[in-house]
Amino acid sequence: MGEKPLKILACGDVEGSINAVFNRVRTIQKKSGQFDLLLCVGNFFGSSPGAQAEWQEYKSGAKKAPIHTYILGAASQETLRFFPSADGCELADNITYLGRRGVFTGASGLQIAYVSGREGQQDPTPAHCFSPKDLTQLVEPLISNNQFRGVDILLTSQWPRGVWQYANSPEVNTKFCGTTSISHLAYKLKPRYHFAAVEGVHYERLPYRNHVVLQENTQHVSRFIALATVNNPEKRKYLYAFNIIPMKSMEASELVKQPQDVTESPYSRMSVMESVLKCFVYCVYLSQEPASQFFFDLGKKQRGGGRGQGGRDRPKQPRRPPQPSGPCWFCLASPQVEKHLVISIGTHCYLALAKGSLTPQHVLVLPIGHYQSVVELSSEVVKELDRYKMAVRTFYKSKGQRCVLFERNYHSQHLQIQVVPVPEDQCTTEDIKEAFMLQAQEQNMELMEIPQHTDLKQIAPPGTPYFYVELDSGEKLFYRIQKNFPLQFGREVLASEALLNIPERADWRECKQTPEEEEGLSKQLRNDFQPYDFALED
């Protein structure tokens, strides 16, 4: 997609040596060009009189940071006074305190999760420490989203305990280094980069996997980097430069590439322990209930043809599609269907000319049975639906046209995949994508790009209202509808001056034709589509 990478610097404990770190940044920028962000982990402030005097120059505006700088909160009691509140705020021009814990999302879509301070060992938790509740409140909203794949960057002051498992060893006493709660955080959030400090050493771990080989789909790798203290006498590395394209802007195939030196996850035992714990809790639960509630009575016939008597070898019956509650204009067996619009009929789906079509070759792909949305379809219906989509794409391509598909699962009774051709010489795929994004933005809708391999069922359970677009490049756009969604949105975008330039045809009701005109168009389209119609061969 040609997305420009962000140039980022990460820094270890500054401990009040603010001039030193900013002078170093200026030198780097002089040599390598401007960077977008400086992210500081560990203790940013120092408690000595000299360190306080340095900070005062930036706080008063006498000096200014040469780069947008984001820092974590206090990791010690002594530096608490530099933070006016637990919430994030600007401390000086170009220097921002992120906050106690949270997620910062930049304009580019870069997602940075952060936790300030050290793990609290007492209750109530001191102000420079984090509690288990802080971590739960950070993790739960993220992982409860079906679309969540991980964060781009995780910032913590403390190390994750055991991060060195299966990899190179750090120059620290591993008996006392790190905390398990940060390990658990990293395991859950799957950061592409995780930065930490406070141990005074530089340690760059080999990248590790976030999936189990041969058992789970390939996911992106994570890199853990600990940074030393600024101006340390051993000259250990305290500044780390890297480029990153936000996860949301990357092709899935590019994102999940595995480097040669990748290792198993150092936290893989955590998933095993979680399973063991769940099993243990369940067993305890069982031990508190009467056994009859949890074991089959094999002397009785089980409902639903399960593993009870007589049910084991019973052949699975094909699932019947749900029946409409009233008249449906799109169920093929319904008397309401305008059959003169039908172009092709398969086993599970059919193709029809769109009523009030944007162009003469604007078609609908629909299931023969009554289904409301793609996420409700059985696998055999999905398979044939995909065959029709591919056939129409090939047909359009032969005519020098791009294929745009969209579905609106909102105020609709029967699934309709709208398939619209756009002349290749009129606009690029990027133009089409940009038009959808801009019009969504103008209407305060967050149309998100989702990975090409994403199954809609993963992000939109049945009953979820949504709008979905698929471009000829395979790129997919998705919006979870909240309320008051414009019903003609898909048509309005395609009819706009930026694309087909037929704004007067945005509303299908303004494009009605006589049955004779519709029949003429259908007949022509039926003939043109015949070489691509697999249903005639099957």
Side-chain angles (χ1 to χ4, degrees):
M1 288 167 58
E3 186 81 18
K4 188 181 175 185
L6 295 167
K7 294 173 68 178
I8 298 181
L9 289 166
C11 183
D13 300 88
V14 176
E15 291 193 343
S17 299
I18 302 172
N19 288 336
V21 74
F22 286 153
N23 287 339
R24 179 77 182 120
V25 168
R26 287 187 185 95
T27 303
I28 292 170
Q29 293 195 137
K30 210 169 187 179
K31 184 180 176 183
S32 308
Q34 188 70 28
F35 279 71
D36 297 288
L37 298 173
L38 169 64
L39 306 172
C40 297
V41 290
N43 274 309
F44 183 78
F45 295 107
S47 52
S48 70
Q52 292 180 54
E54 258 187 51
W55 168 241
Q56 197 55 43
E57 290 182 298
Y58 290 91
K59 190 178 178 183
S60 66
K63 286 185 177 179
K64 181 181 174 180
I67 185 172
H68 293 301
T69 304
Y70 293 88
I71 72 171
L72 292 182
S76 65
Q77 185 72 40
E78 296 77 34
T79 58
L80 269 174
R81 64 181 181 277
F82 293 100
F83 299 92
S85 76
D87 299 321
C89 59
E90 189 175 69
L91 300 177
D93 197 3
N94 251 6
I95 302 176
T96 301
Y97 160 48
L98 285 166
R100 187 184 182 93
R101 45 108 183 109
V103 179
F104 171 79
T105 304
S108 63
L110 186 78
Q111 202 172 40
I112 303 171
Y114 57 88
V115 177
S116 293
R118 297 175 181 267
E119 183 179 47
Q121 301 295 332
Q122 59 197 77
D123 193 23
T125 309
H128 66 285
C129 297
F130 60 84
S131 66
K133 185 180 178 184
D134 286 316
L135 300 189
T136 302
Q137 289 176 342
L138 170 57
V139 169
E140 289 304 323
L142 291 170
I143 66 172
S144 62
N145 183 341
N146 290 332
Q147 262 188 292
F148 182 72
R149 293 179 294 167
V151 296
D152 291 301
I153 299 170
L154 173 61
L155 305 178
T156 63
S157 287
Q158 282 183 294
W159 289 30
R161 182 152 184 77
V163 69
W164 46 85
Q165 299 282 349
Y166 312 122
N168 44 319
S169 296
E171 296 177 19
V172 293
N173 185 339
T174 54
K175 283 186 179 178
F176 306 104
C177 177
T179 171
T180 306
S181 60
I182 295 295
S183 306
H184 194 266
L185 182 69
Y187 167 67
K188 289 287 190 184
L189 296 189
K190 303 176 186 178
R192 293 164 68 197
Y193 286 88
H194 179 183
F195 294 99
V198 302
E199 296 293 339
V201 300
H202 167 241
Y203 171 64
E204 192 166 343
R205 191 204 185 278
L206 293 172
Y208 63 84
R209 298 184 189 95
N210 282 299
H211 64 279
V212 179
V213 178
L214 300 179
Q215 291 183 37
E216 297 174 315
N217 291 335
T218 307
Q219 297 181 44
H220 61 272
V221 302
S222 292
R223 291 173 166 83
F224 173 75
I225 297 134
L227 294 162
T229 308
V230 174
N231 275 356
N232 66 86
E234 297 85 4
K235 306 282 185 192
R236 288 170 170 155
K237 187 171 181 174
Y238 63 83
L239 212 52
Y240 181 91
F242 66 108
N243 293 340
I244 188 170
I245 295 173
M247 190 184 291
K248 67 171 285 188
S249 302
M250 290 185 73
E251 298 285 353
S253 57
E254 195 65 29
L255 178 65
V256 302
K257 279 185 178 175
Q258 307 287 297
Q260 286 188 340
D261 57 351
V262 69
T263 77
E264 289 302 310
S265 168
Y267 318 123
S268 54
R269 290 180 185 174
M270 289 193 164
S271 58
V272 176
M273 288 306 295
E274 277 195 351
S275 300
V276 170
L277 182 61
K278 283 177 185 173
C279 184
F280 172 74
V281 170
Y282 185 59
C283 289
V284 169
Y285 172 60
L286 291 187
S287 71
Q288 294 171 348
E289 298 290 339
S292 60
Q293 288 194 328
F294 299 100
F295 295 92
F296 290 112
D297 180 354
L298 297 179
K300 294 180 183 176
K301 188 174 180 179
Q302 301 302 317
R303 288 186 297 169
R307 287 186 169 268
Q309 183 178 329
R312 186 168 192 164
D313 299 316
R314 189 176 301 166
K316 187 178 178 183
Q317 296 298 315
R319 188 176 64 173
R320 269 189 84 204
Q323 301 303 302
S325 55
C328 178
W329 291 92
F330 299 104
C331 284
L332 197 54
S334 167
Q336 282 80 24
V337 165
E338 297 186 63
K339 292 183 172 60
H340 65 281
L341 298 174
V342 175
I343 306 300
S344 166
I345 303 175
T347 308
H348 305 287
C349 300
Y350 71 101
L351 193 69
L353 177 73
K355 198 167 182 66
S357 57
L358 271 167
T359 73
Q361 287 153 350
H362 172 186
V363 296
L364 306 178
V365 184
L366 312 103
I368 290 171
H370 187 76
Y371 297 90
Q372 187 171 330
S373 68
V374 163
V375 299
E376 294 178 8
L377 299 180
S378 60
S379 58
E380 63 265 30
V381 182
V382 170
K383 192 174 178 182
E384 190 169 271
L385 187 79
D386 287 341
R387 285 187 78 185
Y388 266 119
K389 283 158 66 174
M390 183 57 70
V392 176
R393 275 196 193 99
T394 311
F395 169 56
Y396 285 174
K397 194 168 181 62
S398 73
K399 304 273 186 188
Q401 297 169 325
R402 303 186 192 283
C403 179
V404 182
L405 301 97
F406 67 89
E407 180 198 0
R408 185 197 79 229
N409 182 29
Y410 177 73
H411 286 205
S412 57
Q413 190 186 8
H414 191 113
L415 164 64
Q416 305 160 52
I417 303 284
Q418 305 265 352
V419 195
V420 183
V422 179
E424 289 178 348
D425 59 3
Q426 204 159 324
C427 54
T428 65
T429 304
E430 197 57 41
D431 293 334
I432 299 169
K433 180 181 171 184
E434 190 178 335
F436 272 101
M437 289 295 202
L438 285 174
Q439 290 215 32
Q441 234 174 5
E442 286 171 12
Q443 304 202 39
N444 294 319
M445 299 187 300
E446 190 183 358
L447 193 59
M448 299 181 299
E449 187 171 352
I450 58 175
Q452 291 185 26
H453 67 272
T454 302
D455 183 347
L456 271 184
K457 291 179 183 178
Q458 296 173 328
I459 56 175
T464 305
Y466 63 84
F467 178 78
Y468 167 78
V469 184
E470 195 170 323
L471 306 176
D472 62 349
S473 59
E475 292 166 278
K476 297 177 179 180
L477 309 175
F478 175 84
Y479 172 63
R480 190 187 292 264
I481 295 173
Q482 309 298 326
K483 58 180 180 178
N484 303 328
F485 181 80
L487 299 183
Q488 304 294 335
F489 178 71
R491 287 184 64 116
E492 285 168 359
V493 174
L494 290 165
S496 67
E497 291 178 6
L499 301 181
L500 291 171
N501 195 21
I502 46 172
E504 69 279 4
R505 298 187 71 82
D507 191 329
W508 72 274
R509 288 164 296 194
E510 301 298 319
C511 309
K512 282 184 181 176
Q513 295 172 302
T514 65
E516 293 75 20
E517 289 172 326
E518 288 175 340
E519 196 160 350
L521 276 178
S522 299
K523 189 176 179 181
Q524 181 65 54
L525 189 51
R526 218 173 283 128
N527 291 335
D528 291 349
F529 184 68
Q530 195 169 333
Y532 309 92
D533 191 355
F534 62 86
L536 296 175
E537 302 162 5
D538 295 354

